[in-house]
Amino acid sequence: MPTLQERHAAALATLTDADQAHALRFYDDLDEAQRDQLLTQIEGIDWPEVARLIQSHVLNNPPLHLPSDIQPAPCYPQSPTSDLADHYNKAKSLGEQLLRDGVVAAFTVAGGQGTRLGWDAPKGTFPATPVTGRPLFGVFADYISKAQQKYNCTIPWFVMTSPANHQPTVDYFKENDYFGLDPNHVTHFPQAMMPAIGLTGDQQGKVLLASKDSLALSPNGHGGSLKALHTSGAIADMKSRGISQISYTQVDNPTVHVVDPLFIGLHAIDNAQMSSKMLPKTGPKEKLGNFCFADGKMTVIEYSDLPDELAFQTTPDGDLKFRAGSIAIHMINVGFVEQLSTSPTGFALPFHRAEKKVPCIDLNTATPIDPDEPNAVKLETFVFDALPLCDNSILYETDRVEEFAPIKNADNPPGEPVAVDSAASSKLLQTERAARWLEKNKVTVARDAEGNVNATIEISTRTAISPDDLSAVDLPKSIKVGESIAI
Ligand code: UTP
């Protein structure tokens, strides 16, 4: 074990090479534990990469390289056309078989900071459901329990955290007894962090300090999940359990299908390495990435990067030509993640820059700074940037009410309109989906003149993960106006 002194000398040399020696400026003021913390943070960072990114992404704005020929991505429709009916049947049977064979793992990325939501705990602990306020992690755990029961299998669950929320997340699972799941089949692992880089004044091009004993760190983006799956040992663990397919979902969507036999089967039957679900966009500028096909590869172009002349193009039927929005639901082969990790270029996902307000200390005086304007660049990679690295990738269209009720933003104060992608908008969508499932099962649901559900309904993912699961449930004949009911 190197001593603190040896670690300090090594860190100083590395930082000096990267022109970031100021990160140790207040080292002499720290006690041993603080020194250890700061050195551990410094040792966890790829400083040559940071130095390179400061040049390319902070001191300069990287040029946008769009492929020359951008086409809409081919997509499997939500319901099969007659020529696809047989393919869908086969795919669904294959997906169910893969679940029964126990080769599919669930993977939730929960390493984000959730700054927009403003919830002072890991986002997965947020009470998400409309009647019982079940936390997001509980909703997914119940989904997994139900799927395990339905397919008579084990679905190991991998949850990616970040160093900032790892321990509270693990503690939360323990306090809640893993929501009834077998702890041997639930794995938490943290992703890597990146330092925020100053954008203005004296701090330009310098890694920021949150305090004398801490860098201003944030998780390195959901793209970091692919590397973290490998470096954490999760991939090796999956292989030892016989897992070959990973069902990737985000922590903030309570209606997501944590594992979906049809999607799993469509992905597997076409030998895809990484596949995606999409939603038809509500308009040309909806803030969803666009699935495109360019240079023979599936690719996602961010909404802000897709040129207007493409974004506004329509088909002869008047639909958007580029209509496929990304909702961050993927199937990923274990072999593909392994292949990326052994690639001679490493996990070469491109970094994206985002200008943010990052609280920090003055690098000379240690006075706290709480900026009103963006003062830093955060650097992140995005998981969908792995799509162009695939030889095969399929896209499947899903339905907004069926599986997209994201909780990203804080609720508006009472009396104001429902905020976009908030807990309130999510609860309305969850109720609408529950109503549809009940109506499919011949339950009458109170709706107003506009067709909106006039009640609050929750169907637990422990009860049903698809409408047909309700056929085995003792359902009410009707849901009345103003009723609040959990099933
Ligand atoms: P978002 O892009 O919505 O970010 O993450 P966020 O961190 O949750 O929220 P804001 O932007 O700070 O308000 C989408 C999904 O990707 C995960 C999040 O946990 C969420 O499930 N994510 C994001 C990570 O796991 N790691 C990251 O570094 C970033």
Side-chain angles (χ1 to χ4, degrees), residues 109-116 123 160 191 219 221-222 250-251 408:
V109 289
Q113 291 175 303
T115 34
R116 284 169 289 169
K123 220 187 209 182
M160 185 179 78
Q191 67 179 115
H222 41 64
Q250 299 196 148
V251 76
K408 300 273 184 199

Side-chain angles (χ1 to χ4, degrees), residues 325-363:
S326 171
I327 49 169
I329 302 175
H330 301 285
M331 285 302 305
I332 308 174
N333 279 6
V334 167
F336 179 58
V337 182
E338 273 201 301
Q339 180 195 319
L340 289 180
S341 66
T342 50
S343 136
T345 48
F347 280 84
L349 298 187
F351 274 87
H352 298 253
R353 94 197 281 275
E355 295 184 11
K356 301 268 180 178
K357 289 184 262 181
V358 175
C360 56
I361 58 169
D362 184 283
L363 295 177

